[in-house]
Amino acid sequence: MLLAEVAAASAEIASASARLAKTRRLAILLNRVAADGDARLVAVTASWLSGELPQRQIGVGWAALRTLPPPATSATLTVADVDARFSRIGAVAGKGSRTARAGLVRDLFETATDAEQVFLRRLLSGELRQGALAGVMSDAIAEAAGIPAAEVRRAAMLAGALPTVAAAALTGGRPALAEFRLRAGRPVGPMLAQTASGVDDALQRLGGTAIFEAKLDGARVQIHRAGSAVSVYTRSLDDVTSRLPEVVAATLALPATDLIADAEAIALRPDGRPQRFQVTAARFGRKHPGDLEPLSVFFFDLLHLDGSDLLDLPTRDRLDALDALVPAARRVDRLVTADPAAAQNFLDRTLASGHEGVMAKSPSAPYEAGRRGSGWLKVKPVHTLDLVVLAVEWGSGRRTGTLSNIHLGARDPAGGFVMLGKTFKGMTDAMLAWQTERFTELAEGPTDGYVVRLRPEQVVEIAFDGVQGSTRYPGGMALRFARVVRYRDDKSPTEADTVDTVRALYERGG
């Protein structure tokens, strides 16, 4: 299978507006790949067209893609060849690795045609947004394999990886999908939550009664135990067992032989309040704990226990099983209520304890692994700041030709502005068109590569989840999950929020 065929299909899928058209084009390509009989290539192609690499991260970002060699005149690259090259690039390490990696990237792009270069650049930069999301890909796999879509989705839930399911379905059919079962040691996609505007909204959407749980400001983990063997996975299904010995020890202390559970790992201060999220996150980035802060673990759901799958049971039944297994001190705080005042009080107490907010869960909902189900709703306050746009970057992928990623600055009372991060989240097509025209007018001096420096005149309202410490920016802080709400033409830069306001949020742990 030539890379050119995948690149052409990707372009067609991106240009198709109808879900059915995207599904059919994906199915045609998947069948074409499967005709070669190589399950690995099916998985790779499904992964790429979902905008991901099977290798996850290979150390290639925008910096390595700023300047590319001229494209090749004929298509010679195969899917297998490119996949192998990605693996070689990702394996480069040690002294001189940046230069060596850059050389391998250049060699790859030298042998790629113009269309292939566009596809590879978007894939490697995370900008391959063509509408082939999990739902569309699941339907395409089902159509290509001639299998009911519900069976594909169920297998994907249990496998934790849709590309793996694609390979099984197209090379082994329904019998191969039947082999996917819930099994300790094989992570599954975590159930995700939708957003509610408040506890009243959550109660109404969940039918009047809800299970409210504290949303801890830690890191979600999925814990598997098979006898004395414990495995711990992140929400992205990375194995971090060796980095979290406290979680392993707490799991082995439970009176069970086999289990799969959802939990939160978090670093706590001596007074029980959470450390800054970065303190917890540091443990996930370090192969060995060393002298880093110890973690506590709090369980909040149970998917499997001693040979019995609990996925399809109502939330209340799974929690009954959890309560019988895990001591109260190791469980996330919980309240079952239909009273909005009681729910609000629970939210207020959770926020006062330094945590993010609450989760509202339907008592009757099953565990929808790998899906953003309507049975779970997250409720947490959203912070906003009025900041100034200091610079903007030229976009890529569907944003090619527009000024997209904006650099955000808070006003310094002593003069000037302090950068707090970048974002392109929340931008509509109309907003991109407007800001491209607006920022072209504000451009100041020569362009630094793909970064356009601006006169600090445009105020933008930014929503964010919190403030974290950062060595990347001069103020030592960065906004978490920043996204654009609207541009504030009614405000001047002198009315923007100050860095002191941001620092106060940071010191409060906000």
Side-chain angles (χ1 to χ4, degrees):
M1 166 65 71
L2 288 174
L3 175 65
E5 296 179 66
V6 178
S10 174
E12 291 177 26
I13 293 162
S15 64
S17 57
R19 178 188 176 104
L20 183 59
K22 292 178 183 289
T23 299
R24 287 178 175 169
R25 186 63 184 90
L26 277 168
I28 290 171
L29 181 67
L30 290 173
N31 267 325
R32 170 73 182 85
V33 179
D36 293 339
D38 190 330
R40 167 69 184 179
L41 295 187
V42 175
V44 168
T45 304
S47 181
W48 288 356
L49 290 175
S50 299
E52 299 178 353
L53 297 182
Q55 298 85 353
R56 305 298 289 275
Q57 299 293 330
I58 61 172
V60 178
W62 266 112
L65 302 173
R66 290 181 186 175
T67 57
L68 297 176
T73 56
S74 59
T76 59
L77 286 170
T78 66
V79 172
D81 181 26
V82 175
D83 179 52
R85 290 187 187 219
F86 284 161
S87 294
R88 287 198 295 272
I89 292 170
V92 174
K95 186 177 181 180
S97 59
R98 180 177 296 182
T99 300
R101 190 179 297 116
L104 291 172
V105 171
R106 184 180 61 253
D107 291 343
L108 171 60
F109 276 84
E110 281 179 346
T111 52
T113 64
D114 184 57
E116 291 169 335
Q117 282 196 357
V118 170
F119 174 79
L120 291 172
R121 184 170 183 168
R122 290 176 177 174
L123 176 62
L124 290 170
S125 63
E127 287 287 334
L128 195 66
R129 297 183 178 90
Q130 56 198 11
L133 301 177
V136 176
M137 183 61 77
S138 294
D139 289 346
I141 294 166
E143 181 173 330
I147 296 173
E151 293 184 25
V152 173
R153 287 192 290 270
R154 177 75 178 184
M157 175 182 75
L158 298 177
L162 195 52
T164 302
V165 172
L170 273 84
T171 59
R174 297 180 78 175
L177 290 193
E179 294 300 313
F180 290 106
R181 300 184 179 90
L182 197 59
R183 187 176 69 203
R186 184 167 66 191
V188 299
M191 182 170 176
L192 304 175
Q194 298 181 18
T195 300
S197 59
V199 295
D200 288 345
D201 179 38
L203 285 168
Q204 181 178 5
R205 289 165 61 181
L206 296 177
T209 299
I211 300 168
F212 288 92
E213 295 176 348
K215 192 175 191 305
L216 305 186
D217 194 17
R220 183 174 176 177
V221 291
Q222 187 178 110
I223 304 170
H224 292 238
R225 176 178 173 182
S228 61
V230 175
S231 301
V232 185
Y233 303 92
T234 65
R235 62 182 297 151
S236 57
L237 309 187
D238 294 315
D239 190 332
V240 291
T241 308
S242 64
R243 307 179 188 192
L244 307 178
E246 305 97 323
V247 176
V248 173
T251 304
L252 289 173
L254 299 175
T257 301
D258 301 291
L259 66 81
I260 300 175
D262 257 339
E264 196 85 5
I266 185 170
L268 298 175
R269 299 173 181 173
D271 62 0
R273 293 178 63 84
Q275 297 275 12
R276 297 192 183 282
F277 176 75
Q278 287 166 291
V279 177
T280 297
R283 286 292 302 275
F284 288 77
R286 181 81 69 85
K287 290 186 177 180
H288 302 287
D291 57 355
L292 296 180
E293 288 286 333
L295 296 183
S296 298
V297 61
F298 297 93
F299 294 80
F300 63 84
D301 212 327
L302 193 60
L303 286 62
H304 176 91
L305 179 62
D306 290 339
S308 298
D309 290 346
L310 311 181
L311 281 170
D312 297 324
L313 295 181
T315 304
R316 66 171 76 87
D317 293 349
R318 299 197 310 276
L319 293 181
D320 285 345
L322 180 74
D323 292 350
L325 176 70
V326 181
R330 286 293 183 190
R331 301 196 302 262
V332 170
D333 287 343
R334 188 192 313 145
L335 171 71
V336 182
T337 186
D339 181 1
Q344 185 63 49
N345 181 262
F346 183 75
L347 171 61
D348 293 343
R349 285 190 286 110
T350 302
L351 294 172
S353 298
H355 294 296
E356 288 187 287
V358 298
M359 298 291 297
K361 299 180 178 180
S362 166
S364 60
Y367 191 96
E368 300 178 86
R371 299 186 63 189
R372 197 171 294 279
S374 59
W376 285 14
L377 302 172
K378 55 186 174 183
V379 182
K380 59 182 183 178
V382 176
H383 306 288
T384 62
L385 288 169
D386 291 328
L387 303 174
V388 175
V389 183
L390 306 178
V392 64
E393 300 172 7
W394 285 105
S396 61
R398 74 175 186 85
R399 294 184 173 86
T400 298
T402 63
L403 289 171
S404 174
N405 202 21
I406 57 176
H407 296 202
L408 306 168
R411 181 167 56 87
D412 187 343
F417 298 89
V418 178
M419 187 173 174
L420 298 171
K422 312 175 185 179
T423 190
F424 58 79
K425 302 294 186 183
M427 295 178 181
T428 63
D429 290 341
M431 189 179 291
L432 283 167
W434 177 87
Q435 71 186 39
T436 298
E437 181 177 349
R438 169 65 169 156
F439 295 152
T440 299
E441 296 171 354
L442 295 180
E444 183 177 62
T447 298
D448 177 14
Y450 62 98
V451 178
V452 180
R453 304 293 170 186
L454 305 178
R455 297 195 304 276
E457 297 179 11
Q458 181 63 55
V459 177
V460 61
E461 184 179 351
I462 295 293
F464 60 100
D465 288 2
V467 184
Q468 62 188 24
S470 174
T471 58
R472 191 173 191 179
Y473 301 112
M477 302 175 294
L479 304 183
R480 288 175 58 189
F481 304 112
R483 53 219 182 260
V484 175
V485 177
R486 57 176 172 156
Y487 282 102
R488 299 297 303 266
D489 292 329
D490 59 325
K491 285 196 171 186
S492 70
T494 58
E495 298 175 278
D497 285 301
T498 69
V499 69
D500 294 337
T501 298
V502 181
R503 194 170 302 283
L505 277 172
Y506 173 71
E507 294 300 333
R508 291 202 304 267

